[in-house]
Amino acid sequence: QGGSAVPVPAVSGGIVITEVQIAGAQNDNDFIKIYNRGSSAADVSGWKLRKKTQPGTDYSIRVFPSGSVVPAGGSFLWANSEGGFSGSIGANTWSTQTLAKDNSAALFDAAGGLVDAVAWGSGHVGPYVEGSAYPTNPGASQVLRRKISGGVPQDTNDNASDFEL
């Protein structure tokens, strides 16, 4: 049923974006964490993290390399590689891309299907978003986190309701 604006989980239980940091001790200390809500490991080889800037420009953050797996009930972390940041936090994969205020990020499966998306801040032109964007930009060393409900990350398909700082 193509064309749906609401993402459909690519695996049983669903992979969701659970955390986003757009600046840490340095402006490029950025990361995105995904989580496997499913009961079995998920091979995310060839999956794509993308971002849109406030004006709507679309960029590739990272295509996950072969052998990328998110364990059941576990996480997988992309981080910016500048200054050794990705290594310092034990990222599973990395690139030199950065995130910023009023951005959005989306996860696509290997076939190009939208799996999950999150937007933060305001003034977006065509962001990756579920429902409404989380209205506030994370500050330095603040992490935009998905709320936990019933012991698992909440996913109501509304970023404003599902995330908190």
Side-chain angles (χ1 to χ4, degrees):
Q1 295 182 325
S4 176
V6 177
V8 176
V11 296
S12 176
I15 301 284
V16 293
I17 296 169
T18 55
E19 294 184 3
V20 176
Q21 178 174 287
I22 67 172
Q26 305 293 323
N27 278 343
D28 55 9
N29 288 169
D30 305 342
F31 69 76
I32 297 173
K33 183 183 283 188
I34 64 173
Y35 179 83
N36 181 355
R37 294 167 27 120
S39 58
S40 59
D43 184 343
V44 294
S45 301
W47 287 34
K48 301 156 194 74
L49 264 180
R50 300 194 62 83
K51 72 173 182 178
K52 283 194 178 182
T53 61
Q54 182 195 35
T57 306
D58 190 316
Y59 293 93
S60 173
I61 295 173
R62 180 73 164 121
V63 176
F64 296 160
S66 179
S68 296
V69 174
V70 187
S75 298
F76 187 87
L77 183 65
W78 165 84
N80 178 281
S81 60
E82 296 296 315
F85 178 68
S86 58
S88 73
I89 63 169
N92 300 94
T93 192
W94 51 87
S95 67
T96 58
Q97 279 292 333
T98 58
L99 303 171
K101 292 179 178 180
D102 306 317
N103 273 193
S104 60
L107 179 65
F108 294 88
D109 64 23
L114 181 62
V115 175
D116 198 27
V118 60
W120 55 91
S122 62
H124 295 282
V125 175
Y128 294 128
V129 65
E130 290 183 345
S132 301
Y134 185 80
T136 306
N137 285 298
S141 298
Q142 283 188 314
V143 176
L144 183 60
R145 284 189 174 88
R146 190 175 287 272
K147 295 175 184 174
I148 301 298
S149 177
V152 295
Q154 172 177 304
D155 190 13
T156 67
N157 292 324
D158 183 51
N159 297 156
S161 296
D162 287 343
F163 285 85
E164 62 190 357
L165 285 176

